[in-house]
């Protein structure tokens, strides 16, 4: 995805010239962390989220291919390479920071932004995180469109989308934000009263909960169909929330996102099904310069970054014992 704040600059390191396309906000955040010595103080100074500061520092270090800070328990301290960059960054700040900040504050962020996403991501990730966005931008109105089918941004169905399906066409900008992990889950009562075959990947004696045929395009539908080998489902639903309720009731096993299943207190039978999906941020290309769209896009990127371990299932997935 081409960042609308990209500016081309050339920097000199050890006598050699390197040319990079940098994001000015990353340099601004680098200066704030260097000045304050901590991520949290830099976030307060710039009035942005801690996750944004951390993510932008990591991106800047990846751009240069070298660490700019030494991480200590007491805070962040510049490396030798970071110290070399500091004076160049200050020169950039004098030339660009005033212009960008004044332009940002002059434009009041208001109006409507339409976000397309899945019901699961909307209810369990986006909406619980909205109070901070609403507090910062009270005149911003969000329309959240949820559907198991892909919304077409090219037809103006939405302004931007957070999806696990990568668009193959349309005039859009695309960026991968993270990974959404999936596992096979059951309730403690179900697993205690059924054979342990599921724990060995043997599902002949297990009941399965899945999607109706109307959702046959879903990769989770296909995984369950291949696993059952012509056996019927015990329960078929048209929503993930109904599947979770069925699993909690002890009616069988279901393929669920880790972060939703863990929050529901379900037990992971298998955490590696080979169907984990990238999370894509998709924006209509002709709206990428809109300030309100950029603010919402940054908000989505921040909450995925902040919840990346939960979304991938790396922090809470509990096996059955």
């Amino acid at each position: 995805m081409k960042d609308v704040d990209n500016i081309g600059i050339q920097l000199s390191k050890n006598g050699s010239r390197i040319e990079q396309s940098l994001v000015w906000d990353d340099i601004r955040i680098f200066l704030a962390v260097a000045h304050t010595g901590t991520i949290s103080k830099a976030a307060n100074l710039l009035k942005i989220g801690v996750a944004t500061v951390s993510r932008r520092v990591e991106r800047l270090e990846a751009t240069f291919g070298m660490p700019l800070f030494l991480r200590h328990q007491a805070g962040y301290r510049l490396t030798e390479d970071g110290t070399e960059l500091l004076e160049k960054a200050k020169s950039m700040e004098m030339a660009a920071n005033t212009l960008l900040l004044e332009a940002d504050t002059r434009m009041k962020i208001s109006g409507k932004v339409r976000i397309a996403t899945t019901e699961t991501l909307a209810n369990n990730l986006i909406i619980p995180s909205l109070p901070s966005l609403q507090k910062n931008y009270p005149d911003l109105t969000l329309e959240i469109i949820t559907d198991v089918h892909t919304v077409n941004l090219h037809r103006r169905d939405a302004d931007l989308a957070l999806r696990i399906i990568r668009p193959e066409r349309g005039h859009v900008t695309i960026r991968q934000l993270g990974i959404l992990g999936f596992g096979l889950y059951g309730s403690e009562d179900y697993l205690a009263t059924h054979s342990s075959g599921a724990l060995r990947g043997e599902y002949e004696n297990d009941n399965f909960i899945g999607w109706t045929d109307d959702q046959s395009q879903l990769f989770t539908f296909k995984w369950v169909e291949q696993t059952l080998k012509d056996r019927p489902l015990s329960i078929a639903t048209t929503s993930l929330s109904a599947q979770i309720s069925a699993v909690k009731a002890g009616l069988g096993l279901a393929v669920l996102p880790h972060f939703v299943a863990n929050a529901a207190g379900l037990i992971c039978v298998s955490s590696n099904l080979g169907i984990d999906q990238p999370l894509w941020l998709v924006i209509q290309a002709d709206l990428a310069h809109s300030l309100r769209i950029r603010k919402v896009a940054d908000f989505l990127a921040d909450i995925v970054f902040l919840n990346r371990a939960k979304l991938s299932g790396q922090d809470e997935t509990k096996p059955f014992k």
Side-chain angles (χ1 to χ4, degrees), residues 43-44 46-50 52 104 107-110 129-141 295-296 298-299 302:
N44 289 334
L46 298 172
K47 294 181 172 55
I48 58 177
V50 171
T52 298
D104 199 46
M107 298 177 65
K108 187 177 182 182
I109 299 174
S110 61
S129 303
L130 281 181
S132 61
L133 184 69
Q134 190 178 58
K135 179 181 178 181
N136 291 331
Y137 308 109
D139 296 323
L140 192 64
T141 300
K295 291 299 182 184
V296 175
D298 281 347
F299 161 74
D302 286 349

Side-chain angles (χ1 to χ4, degrees), residues 270-317:
S270 177
S271 61
N272 185 16
L273 305 180
I275 57 174
D276 291 356
Q277 299 293 307
L279 277 172
W280 302 103
L281 177 64
V282 187
I283 306 175
Q284 285 192 36
D286 56 354
L287 295 178
H289 291 266
S290 166
L291 187 58
R292 69 176 183 272
I293 300 297
R294 285 166 45 200
K295 291 299 182 184
V296 175
D298 281 347
F299 161 74
L300 293 174
D302 286 349
I303 61 175
V304 171
F305 178 79
L306 196 61
N307 293 279
R308 61 194 184 279
K310 288 183 180 180
L311 290 167
S312 65
Q314 295 176 358
D315 68 331
E316 294 183 358
T317 301

Side-chain angles (χ1 to χ4, degrees), residues 223-244:
W223 188 92
V224 172
E225 185 179 49
Q226 293 172 0
T227 300
L228 285 178
K229 300 176 182 177
D230 297 328
R231 284 198 297 126
L233 290 169
S234 295
I235 303 288
T237 78
T238 58
S239 74
L240 196 70
S241 59
Q243 291 183 25
I244 292 170

